[in-house]
Amino acid sequence: MAILQANKIYKTYGNKFNKQEVLKGIDLTVEKGEFVGIMGASGSGKTTLLNVLSSIDRVTRGTIEIEGKEFTAMKEKQLAEFRKQHLGFIFQDYNLLDTLTVKENVLLPLSITGISKKDAHRKFEQVAGELGIYELKDKYPAEISGGQKQRTSAARAFVHDPGIIFADEPTGALDSKSASDLLNKLADMNQKHQATIVMVTHDPAAASYCSRVVFIRDGQVYTQLNKGEEARQSFLGDIIKTQGVLGGVQQ
Amino acid sequence: MSLNVIILRNLKKNIKNYYLYVFALVFGVALYFSFVTLKYDPSLDVMEGTIKGGAAIGASSVLLIAIVAIFLLYANTIFIKRRSKEIGLFQLIGLTKGRIFKLLSAENLILYFGSMVLGILAGFAGSRLILMILFKILDIEVAAKLRFSIEALQQTVIVFAAIYVLIMLMNYMFIKGQSILSLFRVNSTAEERVRKMPIREIIMGVLGIAFILGGYYISTQLFGGKFVDMAELMAAMIAILALVIIGTYLFYKGSVSFVFNLIRKRKKGYLSINEVLSLSSIMFRMKSNALLLTIITTVSALAIGLLSLSYISYYSAEAQARESSPQDFGYVNPEVKEQFTAALDQAGIKYEELYIPVFYTSVDAAQVMGKTVYQKDEDKQIHTAVISDSSLGNVDVKPGETRLMGLSGALKNFMPMKETGELGFWTAEGKVPMKLNGITSEAVMPYRFGGGSGVFVVDEADYQKLVKVSYPSSQKNVPTEYYGLNLKDRGQMKQAYEIYTAQESTGDKDHALRLTSFSQYEFEINQRTSMGMIMFIVGFLGLTFLITSGCILYFKQMDEGEEEKGGYTILRKLGFTQGDLLRGIQFKQLFNFGIPLIVGLFHSYFAVKSGWFLFGTEMLTPTVIVMVLYTVLYSIFGLLSVVYYKRVIRESL
Ligand SMILES: Nc1ncnc2c1ncn2[C@@H]1O[C@H](COP(=O)(O)OP(=O)(O)OP(=O)(O)O)[C@@H](O)[C@H]1O
Ligand SMILES: [Mg+2]
């Protein structure tokens, strides 16, 4: 069953006189339980795509359905409610609240679910332990490194077991060990909890964890690769090859 | 690129940041200039007779300078903080700190003196309005003419030039003391962390509360007889002020942050959206908040206290007039009285007449006086008038007993007395014991007869006995009889008063009549005019304090709102609705505006309570009116800040 379906979406930035069309008619379907990777050159519109798919930003044209409900026409309040309940985010620029400690940041999405303090604490111990940030729990974002922020941001995305996780360069600031830990965690969420994951990345190695990789170019879907029964190593090779064809920074 | 080009570019780019600063400046200058213009206004000399209006304004303008300076310095801190990133960038591209300082100073100079011109113009227009209000309060019928005062201009320019130097000094220290890195992240470091053992906080908090309570306690004792001479009284007042202010600071720094810490720790990192927006946001800035909240609280308390006291005296004008002359008109000299009543008869004004013969004596009150300023027994003597109960008509005193009528509120506080007990009336034949049975504050004789201590009323038979043996020397050069006149229809008061004044002006030139004839109406008018002036000045200051403290808080909230905008973006991305955020913000504003208001109300209540009787006869009603009004006006700023936040939240995604 398609959990997420985007039909011919367009996104234009700027005003009448200074238009920049970033997304030009993208069609994308994500099945429930899929782990989709999105790749493309810097500035190709990946973050923009993720934003509109996750209802943070509105499309200029086109429709997006999540679980059969079209949300391009939904009210702002309903959208917010939906994000709060069902979505998890790992943002490219971390998006942690300066005023909260690491632990408070991570537990933020839980506050609306109404689970008990004890359960929340247990949940935090588990997620933070897996991502190696438990020791940092009482620190403020200004006092931790970029990679630690990224892991905190990831912990926040996992903590309420969301149905769909949107991740924008979740491994961008991580060393290879922490990166593979995080990716394993994502894969784990995907397999054990049937969480649907949409991940933007530049890193072919990270993309090789996905079951499918979508390549974006000129605001359109350039091509897709399916992992199928392939081993990760050979899938990685395919990805690198495709990336080579795709080219670098776009004009 | 030359420095000048950079300055101009900066000015243009930062115009949005500047508007708040410019507003603060224009407002401060306008306020000060209009106030000083009043001081030099010739029409104020009209009131020279009652109270030196100009001098009073001069004294209060010092206070005004202080508050305006605090206000501007505060606006400047926000301003420079907002630009800290820019300053960091300049340093990064290789400008020296000295050069950056020069840049800022030059830029500020243009801005500062530009706003000053605007402020002076606004102040000039405003002073006319203020003058009109003043004349309205004082019931003076002079057209409020406007005169541009060069002296006021000079004074304003000097004061604000001095503040400019102060601001530059502050900027200099700010730039000097910052590293590039800290300039870049000046907004994101927490001032208050969740601590494990907040023992220091506990001690601080307990000390703070103890200080405040201590200050309150001393204030209730201030005029209770503990502090005997002026020096001690002064020392006590300063102690109260210091205790309460320091206590307030410690209270915010210790108790509030302790309580917050406790709540936050108990949440174990699991915060609701309301707490995220209120609790953690406030704690994040606790250090600078504590100082600011203390300032706001002090200023609010000061404003409420001053406004209450002046309103008390204005409000009490009628009661005080009644104390000065309990009857509508009073005469000591029967001939003058005859003239007056004849004129009243002629005008067809009906009245009731009261005749009260009096004699004077010393009364030994050592048995009934509690702890007073006077400690020796020979000091506990009341020298006052004695009258018979039959003269009053509606009062009956038993033989051997006496009642003290007309003990003023102020005196009651200075020398508390028991309602009943043994008194000794000194006579030529020794001390005659009398039983005190009741004290009332309602005056029956003009102030001139008993002073503030009132008069003793005795039974008619006792009066006749006592008057025969009274010291003849005590009865010399004082009025021994009194005629009181009450109009049947007080609606004719104005008419009667005209007759009274006409008579007074044709009477003796040596003002003897003034001391021997009394008009309640006249006392009331005089009280109103003299208090009106003070009330106006104090009211002006009070409103200024209100507006500045409200503005400071509002600016602070604007600043916080800008800083936290990113946070709102994140929260909204995560799915919190605008409504969720707004509820949290309302909660936070309840604290930010509510706590200083409540503490300030308490402070001012105790301040007013300690000395209100020096100003009037009624405390509760005028104080409550002032407090309610203050709260309403103050809340407007709170509401404005919520509206501002609403916009920030709406624009955050
Ligand atoms: N809010 C915005 N207003 C105007 N233009 C924008 C906005 N956000 C993005 N853009 C433009 O849209 C284009 C795509 O941006 P986007 O952030 O989606 O790229 P990206 O693929 O995520 O790049 P990267 O890999 O570097 O993160 C860019 O050219 C960018 O300049
Ligand atoms: Mg991006």
Side-chain angles (χ1 to χ4, degrees):
Chain A
M1 186 192 98
I3 191 165
L4 182 66
Q5 187 158 19
N7 305 312
K8 294 255 166 308
I9 51 174
Y10 287 82
K11 176 72 186 175
T12 335
Y13 283 120
N15 53 25
K16 251 187 257 159
F17 312 103
N18 186 15
K19 257 193 209 162
Q20 187 191 2
E21 203 165 45
V22 178
L23 303 181
K24 305 169 187 165
I26 286 192
D27 288 311
L28 185 70
T29 310
V30 178
E31 301 294 325
K32 191 166 166 50
E34 248 194 316
F35 188 168
V36 179
I38 296 176
M39 295 191 79
S42 177
S44 58
K46 303 182 298 292
T47 301
T48 307
L49 176 63
L50 215 58
N51 280 346
V52 296
L53 288 182
S54 59
S55 82
I56 286 175
D57 208 349
R58 285 183 182 272
V59 292
T60 314
R61 231 167 344 123
T63 57
I64 300 169
E65 284 170 28
I66 280 192
E67 287 172 337
K69 266 180 289 179
E70 189 197 311
F71 70 63
T72 31
M74 270 200 313
K75 284 259 167 53
E76 139 103 39
K77 217 170 155 175
Q78 289 170 290
L79 285 179
E81 199 57 37
F82 182 78
R83 289 203 291 274
K84 208 154 58 175
Q85 305 281 359
H86 304 290
L87 305 189
F89 295 96
I90 309 174
F91 298 101
Q92 191 169 13
D93 39 8
Y94 322 133
N95 279 351
L96 300 175
L97 288 173
D98 286 335
T99 51
L100 301 185
T101 61
V102 165
K103 183 173 180 185
E104 287 161 351
N105 260 300
V106 171
L107 290 183
L108 205 52
L110 279 186
S111 66
I112 41 105
T113 60
I115 74 164
S116 77
K117 220 189 301 177
K118 230 171 81 193
D119 289 343
H121 184 64
R122 195 163 331 117
K123 195 83 205 171
F124 173 77
E125 272 182 346
Q126 186 212 328
V127 184
E130 281 168 352
L131 292 167
I133 52 166
Y134 187 77
E135 305 304 317
L136 307 172
K137 67 179 173 30
D138 289 329
K139 292 212 164 182
Y140 284 91
E143 302 162 342
I144 60 178
S145 77
Q148 289 166 336
K149 279 183 207 163
Q150 194 149 49
R151 280 179 278 159
T152 305
S153 173
R156 182 179 62 193
F158 298 146
V159 78
H160 57 309
D161 294 322
I164 310 181
I165 296 170
F166 291 96
D168 196 351
E169 301 268 5
T171 57
L174 300 182
D175 60 87
S176 59
K177 165 81 174 67
S178 327
S180 64
D181 283 352
L182 177 57
L183 288 164
N184 279 323
K185 172 71 187 159
L186 275 172
D188 215 42
M189 293 282 296
N190 175 241
Q191 263 142 39
K192 287 205 190 116
H193 300 283
Q194 272 77 52
T196 312
I197 299 174
V198 180
M199 176 176 81
V200 165
T201 184
H202 276 131
D203 179 10
S208 68
Y209 280 79
C210 302
S211 51
R212 175 159 65 106
V213 178
V214 179
F215 291 89
I216 306 276
R217 185 179 167 166
D218 292 333
Q220 281 170 325
V221 177
Y222 176 73
T223 183
Q224 303 196 20
L225 288 181
N226 271 303
K227 189 176 184 185
E229 295 307 308
E230 242 178 307
R232 240 187 68 202
Q233 278 309 321
S234 65
F235 191 43
L236 177 60
D238 292 349
I239 294 170
I240 293 175
K241 256 182 256 157
T242 317
Q243 220 186 5
V245 177
L246 206 62
V249 174
Q250 170 149 34
Q251 292 316 303
Chain B
M1 194 162 24
S2 80
L3 204 59
N4 286 345
V5 176
I6 300 184
I7 292 173
L8 277 179
R9 282 214 184 150
N10 256 326
L11 259 177
K12 257 193 232 146
K13 203 182 73 210
N14 279 302
I15 212 80
K16 219 186 109 214
N17 273 342
Y18 286 130
Y19 78 101
L20 184 142
Y21 185 59
V22 169
F23 167 77
L25 254 166
V26 172
F27 176 73
V29 174
L31 208 67
Y32 186 75
F33 182 70
S34 58
F35 200 63
V36 189
T37 300
L38 282 191
K39 179 175 156 188
Y40 292 109
D41 196 291
S43 52
L44 273 201
D45 297 341
V46 175
M47 284 160 314
E48 204 84 40
T50 50
I51 180 166
K52 300 212 163 160
I57 288 187
S60 1
S61 66
V62 177
L63 223 64
L64 200 60
I65 293 177
I67 188 81
V68 167
I70 289 181
F71 182 52
L72 288 184
L73 285 178
Y74 182 71
N76 184 58
T77 43
I78 290 186
F79 183 51
I80 190 150
K81 210 176 78 185
R82 278 193 183 184
R83 305 186 52 200
S84 62
K85 268 207 179 103
E86 187 188 330
I87 296 172
L89 247 157
F90 281 155
Q91 266 180 274
L92 212 60
I93 60 170
L95 253 63
T96 61
K97 285 183 175 179
R99 217 168 143 72
I100 294 173
F101 175 67
K102 249 189 241 151
L103 205 90
L104 276 186
S105 305
E107 194 191 280
N108 243 321
L109 196 76
I110 302 172
L111 205 72
Y112 193 94
F113 288 95
S115 321
M116 229 169 101
V117 173
L118 275 182
I120 286 172
L121 291 179
F124 182 58
S127 63
R128 188 191 160 91
L129 188 74
I130 293 172
L131 206 61
M132 261 154 53
I133 296 172
L134 175 61
F135 286 161
K136 179 110 190 131
I137 295 179
L138 298 187
D139 253 339
I140 295 178
E141 274 157 36
V142 187
K145 268 198 295 288
L146 211 51
R147 193 180 68 90
F148 192 87
S149 152
I150 300 297
E151 297 102 306
L153 180 69
Q154 276 171 352
Q155 200 168 330
T156 307
V157 170
I158 291 172
V159 165
F160 283 86
I163 296 179
Y164 176 75
V165 172
L166 222 63
I167 287 178
M168 285 304 103
L169 207 71
M170 208 167 101
N171 286 353
Y172 182 73
M173 287 191 316
F174 181 81
I175 296 173
K176 199 100 214 160
Q178 298 277 357
S179 69
I180 297 182
L181 209 63
S182 61
L183 283 171
F184 273 115
R185 64 158 128 198
V186 73
N187 291 338
S188 59
T189 35
E191 291 173 0
E192 177 77 30
R193 25 191 49 267
V194 188
R195 264 189 240 97
K196 297 207 171 56
M197 287 292 290
I199 289 208
R200 245 189 49 193
E201 235 102 286
I202 297 179
I203 295 173
M204 231 193 255
V206 170
L207 263 182
I209 293 175
F211 275 18
I212 294 177
L213 290 182
Y216 285 176
Y217 177 74
I218 301 178
S219 84
T220 59
Q221 302 296 310
L222 197 56
F223 295 108
K226 272 231 171 73
F227 304 100
V228 181
D229 57 36
M230 211 53 202
E232 271 181 55
L233 214 59
M234 272 310 264
M237 282 182 184
I238 291 170
I240 293 171
L241 218 61
L243 276 176
V244 170
I245 293 178
I246 296 173
T248 307
Y249 181 70
L250 293 179
F251 172 72
Y252 288 134
K253 220 179 146 104
S255 322
V256 173
S257 85
F258 169 68
V259 170
F260 277 24
N261 238 317
L262 205 68
I263 297 175
R264 195 158 173 193
K265 261 188 61 174
R266 286 195 37 194
K267 296 276 166 188
K268 290 215 164 61
Y270 187 36
L271 300 180
S272 74
I273 181 73
N274 271 354
E275 288 150 359
V276 168
L277 289 169
S278 52
L279 196 71
S280 66
S281 152
I282 291 165
M283 281 179 73
F284 192 65
R285 311 188 170 73
M286 203 60 218
K287 219 158 71 192
S288 53
N289 270 345
L291 187 65
L292 194 75
L293 288 179
T294 308
I295 292 176
I296 299 291
T297 307
T298 312
V299 170
S300 295
L302 211 61
I304 301 171
L306 289 175
L307 286 170
S308 296
L309 288 181
S310 68
Y311 191 48
I312 284 175
S313 46
Y314 192 75
Y315 189 88
S316 310
E318 206 183 309
Q320 281 193 323
R322 227 179 296 126
E323 210 169 82
S324 301
S325 169
Q327 286 77 34
D328 290 339
F329 295 96
Y331 285 91
V332 169
N333 187 328
E335 283 157 38
V336 187
K337 185 217 65 171
E338 290 301 334
Q339 276 174 28
F340 182 57
T341 48
L344 284 185
D345 289 337
Q346 207 173 23
I349 299 173
K350 295 213 170 57
Y351 56 88
E352 269 170 10
E353 200 175 323
L354 210 65
Y355 169 65
I356 308 178
V358 299
F359 75 89
Y360 299 86
T361 186
S362 287
V363 175
D364 177 5
Q367 302 295 318
V368 294
M369 267 193 213
K371 272 195 159 174
T372 73
V373 183
Y374 318 107
Q375 289 175 334
K376 292 189 224 110
D377 268 3
E378 55 261 43
D379 285 338
K380 298 186 174 179
Q381 310 287 323
I382 305 171
H383 187 83
T384 184
V386 179
I387 63 172
S388 154
D389 60 349
S390 66
S391 315
L392 292 174
N394 54 356
V395 177
D396 184 37
V397 180
K398 291 195 187 74
E401 285 186 358
T402 182
R403 192 181 295 175
L404 182 58
M405 296 188 82
L407 177 64
S408 77
L411 219 63
K412 213 189 272 176
N413 272 284
F414 279 118
M415 46 174 225
M417 274 195 275
K418 279 181 274 184
E419 295 262 318
T420 56
E422 281 301 318
L423 294 175
F425 280 49
W426 291 104
T427 67
E429 294 174 359
K431 193 153 78 169
V432 177
M434 293 292 263
K435 247 176 96 104
L436 177 66
N437 187 13
I439 298 176
T440 54
S441 55
E442 191 203 344
V444 290
M445 300 278 288
Y447 189 81
R448 172 149 164 70
F449 284 82
S453 53
V455 298
F456 283 103
V457 185
V458 297
D459 183 56
E460 169 67 13
D462 284 332
Y463 181 82
Q464 295 306 339
K465 265 187 265 168
L466 286 167
V467 74
K468 282 200 191 84
V469 293
S470 62
Y471 281 112
S473 62
S474 297
Q475 322 306 326
K476 275 199 193 118
N477 297 325
V478 282
T480 53
E481 47 189 4
Y482 168 73
Y483 299 89
L485 301 171
N486 275 324
L487 297 192
K488 284 224 164 99
D489 175 12
R490 296 203 85 202
Q492 292 171 309
M493 184 62 82
K494 261 208 165 108
Q495 205 185 340
Y497 180 63
E498 265 162 34
I499 298 172
Y500 174 86
T501 40
Q503 196 185 15
E504 216 181 26
S505 56
T506 57
D508 336 11
K509 302 269 186 290
D510 57 7
H511 291 294
L513 274 180
R514 272 190 199 280
L515 295 172
T516 54
S517 55
F518 317 94
S519 158
Q520 195 182 93
Y521 185 68
E522 187 175 81
F523 279 117
E524 194 178 326
I525 290 178
N526 283 344
Q527 177 82 0
R528 282 256 153 88
T529 2
S530 65
M531 282 331 293
M533 185 69 204
I534 291 183
M535 204 174 102
F536 168 75
I537 293 174
V538 172
F540 188 89
L541 283 180
L543 273 180
T544 308
F545 286 7
L546 167 71
I547 295 174
T548 37
S549 61
C551 278
I552 288 178
L553 264 181
Y554 181 70
F555 287 1
K556 165 100 184 133
Q557 290 312 310
M558 272 173 85
D559 189 39
E560 276 183 24
E562 286 306 322
E563 266 176 34
E564 286 182 2
K565 193 169 177 178
Y568 305 148
T569 312
I570 298 168
L571 287 169
R572 284 188 63 191
K573 277 185 183 171
L574 292 181
F576 292 99
T577 59
Q578 295 188 42
D580 291 338
L581 297 190
L582 204 61
R583 262 193 301 286
I585 290 301
Q586 280 162 354
F587 210 63
K588 167 175 154 179
Q589 296 313 70
L590 214 58
F591 170 85
N592 273 330
F593 282 83
I595 296 267
L597 178 67
I598 290 171
V599 178
L601 283 175
F602 268 104
H603 285 0
S604 60
Y605 173 77
F606 278 94
V608 169
K609 196 161 180 281
S610 73
W612 67 275
F613 39 80
L614 298 176
F615 293 82
T617 50
E618 166 79 40
M619 168 180 164
L620 215 57
T621 320
T623 310
V624 167
I625 291 176
V626 167
M627 285 181 167
V628 168
L629 221 63
Y630 194 90
T631 306
V632 169
L633 290 176
Y634 182 86
S635 311
I636 293 176
F637 288 96
L639 285 179
L640 281 178
S641 77
V642 171
V643 171
Y644 182 81
Y645 269 108
K646 202 168 168 176
R647 216 186 66 217
V648 172
I649 291 172
R650 197 177 56 232
E651 288 170 357
S652 67
L653 192 67

